Amino acid sequence: MKRNTLASYLMLAVLPLAIQGAYAQTQAEKEHAAQVGGTMGAYEQAGGSPMANVPMHQDINPKAPPMTEAEFEKGKEIYFQRCAGCHGVLRKGATGKPLTPDITLGKGTDYLKVFINYGSPAGMPNWGTSGELTASEVDLMARYVQQTPPSPPEYGMKEMEGSWKVLVPVDKRPKKKENDLDLSNLFSVTLRDAGKIALIDGASKKIIDTYNTGYAVHISRMSASGRYLYVIGRDAKIDLIDLWMEKPAIVAEIKIGLEARSVETSKYKGYEDKYAIAGSYWPPQYVIMNGDTLKPLKIVSTRGMTVDPQEYHPEPRVASIVASHYHPEFVVNAKETGKIMMVNYQDLNNLKTTTIDAARFLHDGGFDSTGRYFLVAANASNKIAVVDTKENKLAALVDVGKTPHPGRGANFVDPKNGPVWATGHLGDETISLIGTDPVKHKAQAWKVVRTLAGQGGGSLFIKTHPKSKNLWVDTPLNPDPQISQSVAVYDIANLDKGFVRVPIGEWSGLGEGAKRIVQPEYNKAGDEVWFSVWSAKDKQSAIVIVDDKTRKLKAVIKDPRLITPTGKFNVHNTQHDVY
């Protein structure tokens, strides 16, 4: 039976989508496969099976359902693309439940097929009925998650340096802005399944250009100066785009692991644009780089003990990173261990880190309106952890709804309770409002002061703007098409009135397709809200723009290049943490 070696994995790791086929096999698996393979070969010659010439995947667990080697490879690819983000590379669970064989084998193939096909209101997408997976792929994945999770290889400095490229040296780049673009109102739009981003002009609504990037870009982040745009794909590839060039272009790239989600840049005074940092899901670690070249400087592992029950975890993925405004520090969140690390980048050779115990499993979050307090979802614990980035300590752990998923959250002034930060939830229909002013509204600080009823579970992002009177909440992962293809909007001055449903999917004018509505994002002026209408790769997608004041349709961007648009990041709002 043909098997990939670790050496071939590391060679492939510098290529896009490497993780999809780059899982190493343990020695125990090899020995078992050799023993079973020899027996199977003799049996097939005697029995004349129609599968005689089909290479079969041999799992170390004899109870695992049969899969061909080709099916197993395809299952790894689909799992990386659609499942690993929630369930983990080793399938130990986080936002999603564990999918290890001790659990999945007991459920059985038929049960798993139904769950994968139809999803759940708690945030599991309806992969089958939405058209994202075919019936045969649903069956394949139901069998795949009953196999023993393959162990991916490690990825260190040698591999990073091997993938690192400076396409335009710093001394060959412009000394000042050379184009007429309004950079502050550009949008970096993720074209998920195309492995690209699009730069769209906020005024004309025209695509300036598209750029080949890492697969399924997760976020875009701006340097402190607003010159450099960093994008990171789920395949852990980072691309650095110089927006000052006559035609903005990728000037450097690097692959920092096999799977990743987060990238950020230094923002503290005196360190603007000096450093970048990226965290990977696999291997579980983060790397600090030069901000203008992406040269890797220091790698730090996050493996260690959980906050509770204080046991070793082999896969504490780096879920999110923000840059402190009060110290030369990055705030690094390790998902599985529930630890928040304040990493001081003043002296990389003598790295100082303050570790804060929060709760599992840390995911995404954002600052309060003052930029002092960072609020991050510990979604499997149904909590929001609040970190005081000035004092470098935990301010509170706040109980919220089921599986909070705020994106960066939403800051506004509640008419009864003062300044609040809001989050939606994957697991229920509620929106939790947390008081954020411990000085003038001390009684309300770090408590849920109001709970709003939303249109359903499956929310990923919530958004408002300092100049807006509206609060927008998406629900793209709800299995009900009426809910996933619309958004809820609240009047901040009259929250008790509840939400109004806005039919973004209908307004897009698209034909068939999932048309999930995801991630409201404001323009710089705060008078427009942009929504992605996200359908499958072979269906038409769009971006719908709504007038924030009237809540009426303003524009629809349709273009063949808009393949599976998801996240949208306005340069000004991203640069200045406006949300």
Side-chain angles (χ1 to χ4, degrees), residues 154-335:
E154 297 298 319
Y155 197 94
M157 184 61 76
K158 178 181 178 181
E159 290 74 31
M160 288 189 198
E161 289 181 337
S163 72
W164 173 52
K165 297 178 182 178
V166 178
L167 306 175
V168 181
V170 174
D171 61 0
K172 301 296 183 182
R173 299 175 197 170
K175 301 295 188 267
K176 61 181 180 179
K177 182 170 170 283
E178 293 183 343
N179 57 63
D180 296 326
L181 298 172
D182 180 4
L183 299 185
S184 63
N185 201 31
L186 287 184
F187 286 78
S188 174
V189 179
T190 299
L191 307 179
R192 189 190 189 281
D193 291 344
K196 298 181 178 183
I197 64 141
L199 282 182
I200 301 181
D201 178 65
S204 68
K205 316 296 189 288
K206 293 181 179 180
I207 297 176
I208 296 166
D209 207 348
T210 61
Y211 301 82
N212 292 319
T213 59
Y215 173 78
V217 165
H218 191 65
I219 59 172
S220 298
R221 289 290 181 261
M222 293 303 307
S223 67
S225 68
R227 172 176 184 168
Y228 290 116
L229 172 66
Y230 301 78
V231 296
I232 187 166
R234 295 192 178 200
D235 58 356
K237 182 172 181 282
I238 303 174
D239 290 277
L240 177 62
I241 299 174
D242 186 352
L243 298 179
W244 279 12
M245 297 177 72
E246 182 178 1
K247 185 178 181 180
I250 296 173
V251 295
E253 62 181 43
I254 190 173
K255 187 172 170 59
I256 56 96
L258 297 180
E259 187 182 2
R261 294 294 186 276
S262 53
V263 66
E264 181 61 287
T265 67
S266 52
K267 293 183 178 179
Y268 190 69
K269 186 176 181 180
Y271 292 88
E272 297 93 334
D273 296 16
K274 183 172 183 178
Y275 293 121
I277 183 173
S280 56
Y281 269 24
W282 191 272
Q285 61 195 28
Y286 62 86
V287 56
I288 299 175
M289 302 159 282
N290 279 338
D292 55 1
T293 66
L294 300 182
K295 176 181 172 62
L297 302 173
K298 191 168 189 75
I299 305 171
V300 180
S301 173
T302 57
R303 289 182 172 102
M305 309 303 288
T306 64
V307 294
D308 183 23
Q310 295 196 51
E311 60 185 15
Y312 178 77
H313 200 290
E315 190 190 358
R317 298 174 289 170
V318 178
S320 58
I321 304 173
V322 296
S324 172
H325 300 280
Y326 283 84
H327 302 286
E329 293 177 340
F330 294 119
V331 184
V332 179
N333 299 277
K335 184 186 288 282

Side-chain angles (χ1 to χ4, degrees), residues 15 17 44 51-52 80 96 125 129 133 216 229 234 299 308 311 330 363 446 487 491 508 518 572:
L15 300 175
L17 302 180
E44 286 166 355
M51 299 290 286
F80 163 70
T129 58
L133 297 180
L229 172 66
R234 295 192 178 200
I299 305 171
D308 183 23
E311 60 185 15
F330 294 119
H363 191 63
W446 318 135
V487 296
D491 179 352
S508 70
V518 64
H572 176 268

Side-chain angles (χ1 to χ4, degrees), residues 342-359:
M342 316 295 286
V343 180
N344 190 298
Y345 48 74
Q346 281 182 303
D347 183 354
L348 299 187
N349 290 323
N350 299 283
L351 196 68
K352 295 180 180 179
T353 302
T354 300
T355 301
I356 297 171
D357 287 355

Side-chain angles (χ1 to χ4, degrees), residues 43-99:
Y43 179 81
E44 286 166 355
Q45 288 179 5
S49 167
M51 299 290 286
N53 297 318
V54 178
M56 296 296 291
H57 168 72
Q58 301 295 338
D59 196 84
I60 60 175
N61 190 331
K63 295 181 179 180
M67 296 192 80
T68 67
E69 204 169 71
E71 285 180 322
F72 189 76
E73 292 302 314
K74 185 174 182 179
K76 285 193 295 189
E77 178 181 339
I78 293 173
Y79 186 82
F80 163 70
Q81 291 183 13
R82 307 298 187 194
C83 315
C86 287
H87 298 284
V89 172
L90 302 180
R91 305 213 305 262
K92 291 181 176 293
T95 305
K97 293 183 178 181
L99 294 175

